[in-house]
Amino acid sequence: MRLSKSLIPTLKETPAEAQIASHRLMLRAGMIRQMASGIYAWLPTGLRVLSKISQIVREEQDAIGAQELLMPTIQSADLWRESGRYDAYGKEMLRITDRHDRELLYGPTNEEMITAIVRDSTKSYRDLPQLAYHIQWKFRDEVRPRFGVLRGREFLMKDSYSFDLDYEGAVAVYKKTMLSYMRTFQRIGITAIPMRADTGQIGGDLSHEFHILAPTGESGVFYDAAFEAGDAIGVTDVDAFYDQVTTIYAATDEKHDTAVWDEIPEDRRREGRGIEVGQIFYFGKKYSEAMGFAVTGPDGQKIYPEMGSYGIGVSRLVGAIIEARHDEAGIIWPDAVAPFRAAILNLRQGDAVTDALCERLYAALGADALYDDREERAGAKFAEADLMGHPWQIIVGPRGAANGQVELKRRATGERFELSVEEALAKVQG
Ligand code: ATP
Ligand code: MG
């Protein structure tokens, strides 16, 4: 993308309404614009990050055999009456009436809808287990939308749902999902800690939340320092991983259990703040029974499926990653989700040799590069590249260009390298 022609409305001033770094930086970097309280437009660079995160989430869901589908954002109130949650959900649910006076709602989650779909598509125990997900916008009319996309009203979530014949099957898919979440966060380039959690609105008896540690997090968290060391990650066997996670202790303030805490050596006890980026629930037959979903078992008896649901806050992750990875100058994107792998900074726009070299780099890097081809001071280009947080900056000035040399800067470390064009390309693409 050529910066001179792109819709990336960066801001020099700090927006007054933004209280925390990620919100400020997303506005300043031109990633989002607020359209109404808690409702955002995702501008080109913001959307690129959102899409890259979604794609990693998708690949890791596919890897555990979850099937992607797409359910609508608008749901019928009657569906929610079947589970009894229509009245129970309260004011967070955005209720809508259509021209025929039918009651609709903008879905805050999809347990009812997926249960209806699977119920109407399966008959026999042979049709189970099922595991399906979608990545879709949700709406929750939060009392206090704040911190930009961290607590919006409209937000993007990956939600998956499992249907099993028995408890063992349900717990196996719960554990498998938990491990796949760890892989997902690892691929994104952040550390998220699985914590024992309360089940809230969804209901049920087994739940974990995944938290990114950040001082601005809304939840108080208690955890074993072993998590910081990544001791529970890298385990590939599902059961071994789950045993690790449950022996190493981490919990949110609601589930903090001092008895367990006391067993952890004092020098390994940590207290901090966390941003919830995912939550998983096992809730048994709660919805299948309420909504009359049973399959016929091998000897003709009715089996009400055991269910679980599993969420990742895709749009919240964008803000949470920035909370965990920024400095005074701006965002520091992990390579895997950066809007662009590299920015090409032309320090002498209009100089034939410099322009030609920049064009060569831009042609080689293609869609993964943002070419700053504006008639701007070098200082302004450096500041904006640091703000937007591209993992690499390829700095091209007339003196170097005359010798086919460029300067390559790594945003995360500040390291600089004097390289030939080929060497720079190899490093950026490698
Ligand atoms: P919270 O406690 O932060 O309100 P929740 O527990 O109500 O979240 P879940 O029902 O567990 O949310 O939804 C799954 C995921 O969706 C959460 O882990 C979070 O990452 C994301 N999420 C929930 N509410 C919001 C919101 N208002 N804005 C952005 N993301 C959200
Ligand atoms: Mg939650």
Side-chain angles (χ1 to χ4, degrees), residues 119-240:
R119 177 188 65 196
D120 300 342
S121 325
T122 56
K123 281 201 188 74
S124 140
Y125 70 96
R126 289 189 204 84
D127 301 326
L128 295 187
Q130 288 289 341
L131 176 61
Y133 75 99
H134 70 164
I135 302 175
Q136 177 63 294
W137 295 93
K138 306 288 185 288
F139 196 97
R140 294 183 188 173
D141 202 355
E142 302 272 354
V143 206
R144 269 201 304 156
R146 55 183 185 155
F147 304 152
V149 301
L150 287 181
R151 184 168 296 287
R153 292 198 295 166
E154 189 185 44
F155 59 96
L156 189 61
M157 197 204 289
K158 183 287 297 176
D159 37 326
S160 45
Y161 303 89
S162 64
F163 298 83
D164 279 83
L165 291 170
D166 52 27
Y167 175 80
E168 289 67 32
V171 170
V173 67
Y174 182 95
K175 292 180 183 176
K176 190 164 76 169
T177 299
M178 194 165 176
L179 181 55
S180 99
Y181 274 25
M182 297 306 284
R183 280 198 211 101
T184 303
F185 297 127
Q186 203 172 28
R187 274 187 64 190
I188 288 171
I190 43 159
T191 308
I193 302 181
M195 314 235 168
R196 282 151 36 88
D198 268 347
T199 49
Q201 271 288 0
I202 312 278
D205 358 88
L206 178 60
S207 181
H208 282 85
E209 288 176 1
F210 297 77
H211 283 258
I212 291 182
L213 298 172
T216 45
E218 286 187 321
S219 317
V221 294
F222 302 85
Y223 61 96
D224 187 328
F227 276 112
E228 279 176 344
D231 286 3
I233 307 165
V235 184
T236 48
D237 174 69
V238 172
D239 290 310

Side-chain angles (χ1 to χ4, degrees), residues 69 71 75-76 78-80 82-83 110-123 161 163 287-288 290-294 305 307:
L69 47 73
M71 292 178 269
Q75 308 189 19
S76 104
D78 286 341
L79 192 55
W80 285 66
E82 287 189 44
S83 69
N110 284 62
E111 280 80 10
E112 284 78 359
M113 190 175 276
I114 191 75
T115 302
I117 292 171
V118 178
R119 177 188 65 196
D120 300 342
S121 325
T122 56
K123 281 201 188 74
Y161 303 89
F163 298 83
Y287 294 91
S288 54
M291 295 180 65
F293 171 28
M307 290 178 58

Side-chain angles (χ1 to χ4, degrees), residues 267-296:
D267 62 328
R268 273 183 21 206
R269 289 181 211 163
R270 299 280 185 280
E271 266 186 67
R273 311 289 309 168
I275 302 172
E276 180 194 324
V277 291
Q279 186 165 11
I280 58 178
F281 306 86
Y282 157 74
F283 42 75
K285 301 172 194 248
K286 179 177 152 123
Y287 294 91
S288 54
E289 281 180 350
M291 295 180 65
F293 171 28
V295 293
T296 311

